Amino acid sequence: MANKLSAVIIMGLAIFSLVSVTSATSGTATYYTVYTPSACYGYEDEGTMIAAASEGIYNNGGACGQMYKITCTGATNAGVTQPCTGASVTVKVVDLCPSPGCQGTFDLSQEAFSTIANVNAGKVDINYTP
């Protein structure tokens, strides 16, 4: 009996830890079109599935090279009422999106943004996970 109870408790903890690790955080995304130089890599070409992170995520360069899976969850304005494509994109952090000019949690490359949303929306609500 004790072995069965221990097994149930261990299984429950394992499931709980998986759920907490995979929980997405909500934020917003915008896009940009000039990719170099970047705060992390200067003039090195890091491809097009890239992003600039807001100061909280950037963490004084600690986020450089980290990958994030980003999914559009909805519109932030009335301009494009259904902007999301239904797809997700994985981007590499290559730059800082400094405040006060930064308008989103992530400033995605135009190619990454267009994977998850209509670029005419300009800014969308997102969920993201490292």
Side-chain angles (χ1 to χ4, degrees):
M1 178 74 171
N3 286 341
K4 287 183 182 180
L5 182 58
S6 294
V8 168
I9 291 172
I10 290 171
M11 185 64 96
L13 289 173
I15 291 171
F16 177 76
S17 68
L18 287 174
V19 169
S20 64
V21 168
T22 60
S23 294
T25 304
S26 61
T28 58
T30 54
Y31 72 91
Y32 66 114
T33 57
V34 177
Y35 307 147
T36 57
S38 70
C40 299
Y41 300 101
Y43 286 93
E44 289 181 37
D45 182 3
E46 295 298 317
T48 56
M49 293 305 169
I50 56 175
S54 59
E55 289 177 342
I57 293 170
Y58 187 72
N59 191 26
N60 293 319
C64 289
Q66 290 187 359
M67 307 294 281
Y68 286 86
K69 180 179 179 185
I70 299 177
T71 305
C72 177
T73 59
T76 60
N77 59 49
V80 179
T81 56
Q82 300 291 325
C84 302
T85 64
S88 294
V89 66
T90 300
V91 295
K92 179 180 182 179
V93 173
V94 300
D95 210 352
L96 166 65
C97 184
S99 60
C102 191
Q103 299 297 310
T105 309
F106 287 97
D107 199 13
L108 305 176
S109 65
Q110 185 173 355
E111 291 85 351
F113 189 94
S114 68
T115 299
I116 63 166
N118 180 333
V119 293
N120 291 325
K123 182 178 182 179
V124 294
D125 289 325
I126 60 167
N127 282 338
Y128 64 93
T129 54

